[in-house]
Structures are given as structure tokens and as C-alpha cells.
Amino acid sequence: MRDINISELERKFQEKIDNDVKIEPNDWMPEEYRQTLIRQISQHAHSEIVGMLPEGNWITRAPNLRRKAVLLAKVQDEAGHGLYLYSATETLGADREETIDDLHSGKAKYSSIFNYPTLTWADMGAIGWLVDGAAIMNQVPLCRCSYGPYARAMVRVCKEESFHQRQGFEIMTQLAQGTPEQKAMAQDALNRFWWPALMMFGPSDADSKHTAQSVQWKIKRHTNDELRQQFVEVTVPQAELIGLTVPDKDLKFNEANGHYEFGEIDWTEFWEVVKGNGPCNKDRLDARRKAKENGMWVREAANAFAAKRAARKSA
């Protein structure tokens, strides 16, 4: 009898998804759906928080006050995105502190792109243009995710990410149109971030363990390879417009099908970074652990104050 009931619940659940009816926190859902969302949303939250580090590194070295103010606002936005997303995981029954501890222990992953160093100011442009551009490509479809809280959180996140992408493209445009040294700096940043940006969409569809099921459940609306192709289609003309060269000798436009063809991604590098062996993996996690340790007294004080206030109300 139980198996029959579960089968009927699963049928109705999939029917809602097929009809684009949002799944809400109190609705019945398969445990695998819940766990898939917790994994994806928490990793997304981790990426927003860890992503503050390479940019925060340049706040004190921004070339002028305007750039400093814009970068400060952007880093603040990323912190907000992380908070939205941690809240979304809590609607699925996840404990926020446990998900953060999973990040600090290395159990949970975050976007591989944030394990690369930011060596020059041009990297702020490359991150805004390429990394946030890739994020928008991935996240706009998430506004139609089948899980309601995630979809609604992504609406504001995508609006803010669009500003980040424009800011980055503006930086790259000005550098590309500047002195020969500035243009060379912009080209160098593009050279170093192009391939990691393509890796951001995750492994190829043939090697992805989660994509097919996530598409069926409409957690994702497109596969990794589809999103990667869309990113190339949009970004290559932008590079050409500002006079920069995409670092791919195999890149070409196929007149027959109207799409760009690009070279093979170094998946060995991707998996090494995912496993924790990237240039900055250790530094990123060390920074997050220290941030939690250094802020422990604030949380303890806030909890003590809340407990004392609650005791007074109940007295």
C-alpha cells in the first residue's frame, strides 16, 4: 500500500512540474529532489560568498574612488546573494551552519572559477564580464526553476548580476581602448579567465551525473553544454567589438549552422580544481574558516542577547 501511495505522490509531483506549477516548501517532494536542491543551492550560496574574496582583494587598490565604490557595492551584492540562497536551503530543511561547515571541511564544492588568482586590475573586468556573464547565462533560466523559493530568489540576483557584467565589460572596454600597456593587461586577463569561465558551466553533458534528472525536474532548463554554447555565442562578438582576441586557436564561426565552434576544454584541469588542487583552493577555504572564527564572538553575543530577551518576555 505504501509503495502505491508513494508512486501516486511521485506521479502528481511530476505532473505539477510538467505543468510548470511551482513546488513550495510544504509540498510533498521526493527526497532525491530535496537533496538535489540542497546540494545545488548551497553550492550556489558558497560560490557567492567565496566569490567575494578575489574581488575584495582589489578594493583597496582600485584605480580611483568611483571604481572603489562600484567594487564595494558589487562585493556587498554578492554577500546578499549568498544570504538569499542560504535562506532558500533552510526552506528545504537544511541547517545553514551545517552547510557552511561542509564548505569549510571541503565536503561541499563551489564554482571552480574562484580558485584562480586576480593578478591585475584587469581581472576585475574579466570577472565581471566573463564570470558574471557566465553566471547570468546559467542563472536566468533558474528564475523558472520548479522550486519556488529558489526561482524567486534568482529574480533579484539576476538583476544585480546584470549590473556586475556591465561593470566588468566597461572596465575591459576602457582598458582595451587605452594605452598599449592597458590593452595588453586586458588581453592577459582574458587569456587567463577564458577557459576557466567555460568550465564554470560544469562538466560536459556526457560526464555530468545530475544534469538529466535536474532537467526532468525543471530545476535546470538547459544542459551544461547548451549553456556553454550560448555563452560562447554571446561573448565572442563582444571580445571582437572591443578589439580583444579570444585565446582559442580552434575557434571559428560555422557559416552552415550559424554557430561558433570552439576548442577542447582541459577537463583534467577542471577536475583537479574541483578536487581542491587549484591555484587558490587552500587560500580561499582558509580565508572563510578564519572569517567564521573571527566572527564567532559576534554570533555568541547576539545569541546571548536573544536568549536574554526571550527570557524577559516569558517572565
Side-chain angles (χ1 to χ4, degrees):
M1 178 65 69
R2 182 178 179 277
D3 290 341
I4 295 175
N5 290 340
I6 291 295
S7 297
E8 180 63 14
L9 288 170
E10 289 177 340
R11 185 191 66 77
K12 290 181 178 179
F13 170 81
Q14 188 62 51
E15 186 176 83
K16 289 176 70 175
I17 288 177
D18 292 341
N19 291 323
D20 285 324
V21 176
K22 289 285 185 281
I23 306 299
E24 299 297 340
N26 292 331
D27 293 343
W28 184 90
M29 64 188 76
E31 186 59 24
E32 188 180 352
Y33 177 83
R34 184 189 307 276
Q35 292 303 322
T36 296
L37 281 167
I38 290 174
R39 174 188 57 79
Q40 178 171 327
I41 300 173
S42 64
Q43 288 183 5
H44 190 167
H46 301 331
S47 299
E48 299 284 356
I49 298 301
V50 176
M52 297 162 61
L53 297 173
E55 294 173 315
N57 185 42
W58 278 91
I59 289 174
T60 58
R61 295 181 287 168
N64 56 51
L65 186 59
R66 174 177 174 268
R67 293 297 187 193
K68 186 189 295 287
V70 171
L71 188 56
L72 272 168
K74 180 183 180 186
V75 171
Q76 190 173 30
D77 284 348
E78 307 294 4
H81 298 171
L83 294 177
Y84 301 151
L85 294 166
Y86 283 132
S87 296
T89 64
E90 290 177 317
T91 68
L92 291 156
D95 181 88
R96 181 183 299 213
E97 289 304 311
E98 288 180 4
T99 62
I100 293 172
D101 288 340
D102 285 344
L103 167 66
H104 295 169
S105 69
K107 178 180 177 181
K109 306 302 180 184
Y110 55 90
S111 181
S112 58
I113 192 75
F114 299 120
N115 290 307
Y116 291 86
T118 47
L119 305 179
T120 71
W121 172 252
D123 290 3
M124 295 302 95
I127 287 177
W129 174 35
L130 300 176
V131 177
D132 293 318
I136 292 169
M137 197 68 65
N138 187 50
Q139 292 171 14
V140 166
L142 290 175
C143 296
R144 297 185 292 121
C145 171
S146 61
Y147 187 59
Y150 193 23
R152 290 188 288 272
M154 292 314 301
V155 173
R156 177 169 179 174
V157 170
C158 288
K159 287 181 179 179
E160 292 176 349
E161 292 289 4
S162 69
F163 283 103
H164 302 169
Q165 193 271 346
R166 292 175 191 178
Q167 171 225 1
F169 189 62
E170 182 203 16
I171 291 174
M172 295 296 274
T173 300
Q174 289 199 352
L175 290 173
Q177 295 173 351
T179 67
E181 291 80 7
Q182 288 173 322
K183 183 173 182 179
M185 186 167 64
Q187 183 64 58
D188 175 66
L190 173 56
N191 292 347
R192 286 183 288 105
F193 276 93
W194 175 254
W195 291 106
L198 293 188
M199 296 176 194
M200 274 184 69
F201 296 98
S204 65
D205 294 347
D207 296 325
S208 176
K209 297 185 295 183
H210 306 289
T211 294
Q213 183 63 77
S214 291
V215 170
Q216 181 183 339
W217 280 333
K218 294 187 179 179
I219 295 174
K220 296 177 68 171
R221 295 284 179 152
H222 304 283
T223 70
N224 296 347
D225 287 340
E226 288 171 349
L227 291 169
R228 196 170 2 252
Q229 184 66 44
Q230 289 177 26
F231 175 76
V232 172
E233 305 284 354
V234 169
T235 311
V236 170
Q238 292 174 345
E240 294 174 347
L241 179 66
I242 60 177
L244 297 180
T245 302
V246 172
D248 181 357
K249 61 181 177 58
D250 296 320
L251 180 69
K252 62 180 180 180
F253 185 74
N254 189 322
E255 297 285 352
N257 60 26
H259 295 291
Y260 283 97
E261 297 175 359
F262 53 94
E264 182 65 26
I265 294 171
D266 184 354
W267 292 114
T268 300
E269 176 184 332
F270 171 78
W271 290 115
E272 280 299 303
V273 174
V274 169
K275 291 175 184 176
N277 300 320
C280 297
N281 287 69
K282 184 178 183 301
D283 292 341
R284 300 293 185 241
L285 288 184
D286 284 347
R288 293 312 311 157
R289 292 189 197 101
K290 288 177 182 177
K292 181 168 185 177
E293 292 168 3
N294 293 338
M296 190 67 73
W297 69 273
V298 178
R299 290 189 294 278
E300 290 173 351
N303 289 335
F305 177 78
K308 188 174 182 179
R309 188 176 183 181
R312 285 178 178 172
K313 284 186 176 181
S314 62

